[in-house]
Amino acid sequence: MEQPSAFHLQMRLDNVAVITIDVPDEKMNTLKAAFAGQIRQVIQRARENPHLAGIVMISGKPDSFIAGADISMIAACNSAQQAETLAKQGQKVMSDIAALPFPVVAAIHGACLGGGLELALACGQRICTLDDKTRLGLPEVQLGLLPGSGGTQRLPRLVGVSNALDLMLTGKTLRPRQALKIGLVDDAVPHSILLETAVARVLKGQKPRARLPVRERLINGPLGRALLFTLATRQTRAKTKGNYPATERILAVVRNGLEQGSSSGYAAEAKAFGELVMTPESRALRSLFFATTAIKKEHGAEAEPHKLRAVGVLGGGLMGGGIACVTATRAGLPVRIKDINTEGINHALKYSWDTLGKKVKRRHIKPAERLRQMALISGDTEFRGFQQRDVIIEAVFEDLALKQKMVAEVEQHCSAATIFASNTSSLPIADIAAQAQRPENVIGLHYFSPVDKMPLAEVIPHAATSAQTIATTVALAKKQGKTAIVVADRAGFYVNRILAPYLNEAVRCLLEGEPIEVIDNALVEFGFPVGPVQLVDEIGIDVCLKIIPILEQAYGERFNAPAAFSAVSADNRKGRKNGRGFYRYTGASLPGKKRVDSSIYPLIKVKPKARLEGALIAQRCVMMMLNEAVRCHDEQVIRSPRDGDIGAVMGIGFPPFLGGPFHYIDALGATMVVNTLVSLMHQYGERFAPCDALRRMAEQDEKFYKTERVSDTHIDSVA
């Protein structure tokens, strides 16, 4: 049975053909291989009009142009040759569009990403809306790939090499005015006149190609180009540590096209695309993409969430201010803050004002929009205005008695349906709910600092939490822009539990005499965004000291904190928050570089000297994390390996190119992980003993994920 076409032709009286792209039964348009024939058919039908003035391509979806290529189609490739053929098919379609002998204008509203932008680049002109939903970019590098339908060749010639490399190497997206500024689009207009503006462009005829700015023309010379690629290669390697092969291939393919000509560039692009699809890095990144896409569709429980109309926050500190900010600015919900004094409320309000101020400065929003969003946030020292709040998020100190008091006060001053969500990082939710009149309304909602930047939230029901409370809390986290994983009410939950042994091992390396910067560099080279010792400073040394004893009491000696933590804390070192930690936070230092506070060494009775290989330091820390992650899965702290991978990548910064702890264990093989842990155990102690679940997996040669073919699409499914 023939599939309905995603391309619909309307011939206007002024002889402009409007091709509307509307993939059936999909929320957003994505490009599929089967569309190549459909595009050619619809263009051929338009050309049957002898008076055809030109074509406008526009989306039939309300919020997107084309969000990219269908990733499942790429995952279905079984060889580099198959993927290369796929890229060549895409290139041919785009080349056919670019070769049309009349004006073709892309009318863009919403997401225009990846293959969508490559299609727009094949058009002679591009018009986009000024709407905040409109974004343009080539984010393929985030999947371990490069643009495979001509983007590496057309973009540099349109906007210049430096602008093109900036877009392709980072995967960042541009807002409409940014796209207009660099010449990626020819005009940016209100949504209401998008089609009319595009039609007018067609009727004006072909537009002469604009000259690149002087800077870009200089770069296009042999010397300028050589210097640019040398600098870009150096900066890229410094950032990626060689862990993302797609960046090196992007640089090589773009340069090939500029120096050897377009034909050579297109061939190099297709070949590189095919080879990158088969890399373990791309497989891992695509696995994460499928995982996060799937989890966004889930409610967290078999229940319909309550409608969310208003939220309350208890505590105006750093976390409370961040939670209030994302509730108002991303969820668009009215939020009321309660604190014991007005200073706390003002602190929380300032957090949102400053956050929005950065957006105003970058011209992402107008000052009037900042005022509108700020109007959603209010505060009081009493419970006035809390009666009709659907969810109250508690962000007070980590003190059980205080949190139980908060539950009692919320039950007294709010409605019987109000949910109490505790942003605790360590206290059991069941204990917080122990004296509650309505324990079914009590749940954990653990954010990560800084709240407006960290994408993860842990939702933690206790035994008596209702399904509707879970679903409503997950819905709120999503509205706040978070990816939510539901985890069990066990000490440390998931993220902090797997993080603690990793940090502990780093501190043990320090006590053995390894310099702080050597330890941190080893884990950054491995792929983490910051090293573990710096991360202790970021989390707060005092916070670590509160969490670790709870974990030690629950799980035993393997969570025993090294004595160094106590010695450092006794010196009033809390980390970044009070400017005193393992690193210095005052005085001059190189941009992007922090200086170790060398006064820390005598305090912990260490004379620093690098003795261990960086790879061994990384292995010790990471293996502790992997072992604990498997325990969490075995004890059903997490619902699936997928949730464990998402939690580690988004909550801790586990290297995305490794796909998360469970994907990484599968890649290494359980037997290798067990053997490595046994070797470390003989050398460093019982804390490295592989858990029973991992030993079982090794004995039975099991994996956490298996690959299945469903409707000719490869997907990762939990074993």
Side-chain angles (χ1 to χ4, degrees):
M1 183 177 171
E2 189 176 340
Q3 294 292 319
S5 179
F7 301 86
H8 309 280
L9 175 67
Q10 178 204 355
M11 188 60 68
R12 292 166 51 104
L13 294 176
D14 53 16
N15 293 312
V16 174
V18 176
I19 295 176
T20 302
I21 308 160
D22 195 349
V23 180
D25 304 319
E26 297 285 348
K27 186 178 178 183
M28 303 183 88
N29 289 324
T30 55
L31 294 177
K32 306 175 192 290
F35 292 169
Q38 295 180 12
I39 295 172
R40 290 191 180 96
Q41 282 178 6
V42 78
I43 290 174
Q44 185 55 43
R45 280 175 49 212
R47 296 187 75 169
E48 289 171 3
N49 178 353
H51 306 294
L52 180 65
I55 292 174
V56 170
M57 290 198 177
I58 195 165
S59 171
K61 304 295 184 188
D63 295 326
S64 73
F65 180 68
I66 299 172
D70 182 354
I71 308 303
S72 301
M73 171 182 70
I74 296 167
C77 293
N78 293 317
S79 67
Q81 185 60 52
Q82 269 189 340
E84 182 178 347
T85 300
L86 194 66
K88 287 179 176 176
Q89 288 172 354
Q91 289 177 349
K92 181 67 170 65
V93 172
M94 304 309 174
S95 295
D96 289 349
I97 293 170
L100 290 171
F102 44 74
V104 182
V105 178
I108 301 161
H109 170 66
C112 178
L113 305 172
L117 182 56
E118 289 182 292
L119 185 143
L121 288 169
C123 299
Q125 299 177 59
R126 287 149 298 283
I127 314 295
C128 75
T129 68
L130 288 162
D131 196 285
D132 192 53
K133 292 173 183 172
T134 297
R135 293 286 188 279
L136 299 95
L138 293 172
E140 286 87 349
V141 72
Q142 294 171 4
L143 293 174
L145 303 171
L146 50 62
S149 295
T152 63
Q153 305 306 302
R154 288 194 177 89
L155 188 62
R157 289 169 173 79
L158 180 68
V159 302
V161 187
S162 59
N163 285 327
L165 288 178
D166 184 39
L167 278 173
M168 286 187 278
L169 292 172
T170 63
K172 72 180 182 182
T173 59
L174 298 181
R175 294 165 184 269
R177 292 189 191 280
Q178 294 171 312
L180 184 62
K181 183 178 179 181
I182 70 166
L184 182 56
V185 296
D186 300 282
D187 202 357
V189 300
H191 189 195
S192 58
I193 60 168
L194 175 64
L195 179 58
E196 289 78 359
T197 306
V199 168
R201 287 265 176 173
V202 168
L203 294 173
K204 279 183 181 177
Q206 297 281 19
K207 170 180 167 280
R209 185 177 167 188
R211 293 190 74 194
L212 290 171
V214 173
R215 175 175 172 271
E216 289 292 342
R217 293 205 299 274
L218 289 172
I219 289 170
N220 274 348
L223 288 175
R225 189 186 301 142
L227 179 61
L228 172 69
F229 277 96
T230 300
L231 289 173
T233 301
R234 186 183 304 155
Q235 290 169 356
T236 301
R237 285 177 182 166
K239 196 175 288 185
T240 65
K241 312 298 180 186
N243 291 321
Y244 292 86
T247 55
E248 300 278 342
R249 301 302 293 271
I250 288 168
L251 287 162
V253 167
V254 170
R255 190 166 193 173
N256 181 306
L258 293 171
E259 294 179 352
Q260 308 297 325
S262 293
S263 295
S264 177
Y266 285 126
E269 177 189 87
K271 186 173 190 296
F273 181 85
E275 291 172 355
L276 286 169
V277 167
M278 293 295 117
T279 60
E281 292 85 359
S282 183
R283 284 198 183 98
L285 291 164
R286 295 197 310 265
S287 172
L288 280 174
F289 172 83
F290 288 128
T292 51
T293 302
I295 206 168
K296 284 174 186 173
K297 299 173 183 176
E298 297 176 3
H299 296 306
E302 294 296 323
E304 281 299 312
H306 280 300
K307 185 177 180 182
L308 291 162
R309 293 157 300 187
V311 172
V313 173
L314 304 180
L318 186 65
M319 292 301 291
I323 293 165
C325 180
V326 296
T327 304
T329 62
R330 293 184 190 166
L333 294 169
V335 57
R336 192 160 178 81
I337 304 156
K338 181 188 178 297
D339 199 274
I340 55 174
N341 55 52
T342 54
E343 185 181 343
I345 295 164
N346 290 336
H347 180 273
L349 289 168
K350 185 176 185 298
Y351 187 106
S352 291
W353 179 263
D354 290 347
T355 301
L356 291 169
K358 291 172 187 172
K359 291 185 178 182
V360 171
K361 189 175 181 181
R362 293 171 187 151
R363 299 185 179 179
H364 293 172
I365 62 171
K366 293 181 178 178
E369 178 59 18
R370 171 169 60 179
L371 292 175
R372 188 194 71 77
Q373 293 188 27
M374 284 300 300
L376 292 169
I377 311 174
S378 59
D380 204 328
T381 55
E382 303 296 331
F383 272 97
R384 284 186 291 265
F386 275 74
Q387 291 79 6
Q388 301 306 317
R389 303 280 145 175
D390 302 298
V391 180
I392 306 295
I393 304 169
E394 166 272 304
V396 301
F397 297 114
E398 284 287 274
D399 179 272
L400 180 59
L402 177 59
K403 290 179 188 287
Q404 289 176 337
K405 183 185 175 202
M406 295 294 100
V407 173
E409 289 184 358
V410 165
E411 290 185 327
Q412 180 185 345
H413 293 97
C414 300
S415 78
T418 298
I419 291 169
F420 181 96
S422 175
N423 176 49
T424 179
S425 57
S426 58
L427 296 171
I429 308 304
D431 291 355
I432 294 170
Q435 299 170 16
Q437 295 174 22
R438 295 183 287 274
E440 67 275 10
N441 291 352
V442 179
I443 195 168
L445 180 52
H446 180 211
Y447 298 91
F448 297 82
S449 184
V451 180
D452 59 308
K453 290 187 178 139
M454 296 298 284
L456 186 75
E458 287 181 309
V459 174
I460 312 114
H462 64 102
T465 304
S466 72
Q468 193 164 51
T469 295
I470 298 170
T472 305
T473 307
V474 168
L476 173 60
K478 286 181 184 177
K479 285 179 78 70
Q480 292 169 328
K482 304 298 176 187
T483 297
I485 60 170
V486 180
V487 301
D489 185 21
R490 298 285 304 275
F493 313 132
Y494 172 66
V495 171
N496 281 341
R497 180 170 165 186
I498 68 169
L499 179 63
Y502 165 85
L503 298 180
N504 270 351
E505 197 59 31
V507 175
R508 285 193 172 92
C509 290
L510 170 59
L511 292 177
E512 290 170 18
E514 291 301 317
I516 289 168
E517 67 273 16
V518 170
I519 297 166
D520 279 351
N521 286 343
L523 274 303
V524 170
E525 289 287 330
F526 183 83
F528 283 88
V530 297
V533 185
Q534 185 183 335
L535 186 57
V536 170
D537 266 6
E538 297 291 337
I539 294 168
I541 297 164
D542 55 331
V543 174
C544 291
L545 279 169
K546 282 181 181 175
I547 294 170
I548 288 175
I550 294 168
L551 293 169
E552 186 181 359
Q553 183 179 358
Y555 306 116
E557 283 189 17
R558 71 177 185 274
F559 280 93
N560 180 30
F565 269 129
S566 299
V568 172
S569 178
D571 194 43
N572 190 33
R573 292 174 186 259
K574 295 181 179 178
R576 177 187 280 281
K577 69 175 75 174
N578 75 339
R580 303 189 74 236
F582 291 96
Y583 284 85
R584 295 181 62 178
Y585 295 91
T586 56
S589 61
L590 293 171
K593 292 278 186 184
K594 288 185 173 59
R595 287 192 300 163
V596 170
D597 186 346
S598 56
S599 68
I600 201 92
Y601 293 120
L603 191 66
I604 57 176
K605 299 180 174 56
V606 162
K607 291 183 179 178
K609 184 180 179 182
R611 297 174 181 85
L612 300 177
E613 291 288 331
L616 176 57
I617 295 171
Q619 185 185 71
R620 284 173 59 177
C621 296
V622 171
M623 282 294 154
M624 289 294 286
M625 181 184 284
L626 298 184
N627 206 14
E628 204 60 41
V630 176
R631 285 190 181 98
C632 287
H633 177 255
D634 191 45
E635 296 167 17
Q636 298 183 321
V637 172
I638 48 174
R639 293 181 169 184
S640 66
R642 179 204 69 181
D643 288 7
D645 283 342
I646 290 172
V649 171
M650 293 189 172
I652 296 171
F654 191 92
F657 68 90
L658 296 176
F662 298 98
H663 194 282
Y664 185 43
I665 291 169
D666 278 359
L668 293 174
T671 301
M672 179 180 282
V673 176
V674 167
N675 291 342
T676 304
L677 283 165
V678 169
S679 174
L680 291 169
M681 178 180 70
H682 291 321
Q683 193 168 358
Y684 297 104
E686 277 297 313
R687 65 183 181 275
F688 283 102
C691 66
D692 292 342
L694 200 48
R695 287 184 185 275
R696 284 196 307 271
M697 288 188 69
E699 288 167 6
Q700 296 167 22
D701 195 25
E702 289 182 346
K703 289 183 177 290
F704 287 105
Y705 295 94
K706 61 183 177 180
T707 302
E708 290 183 349
R709 184 175 291 276
V710 180
S711 301
D712 291 324
T713 298
H714 278 302
I715 61 167
D716 279 333
S717 66
V718 177

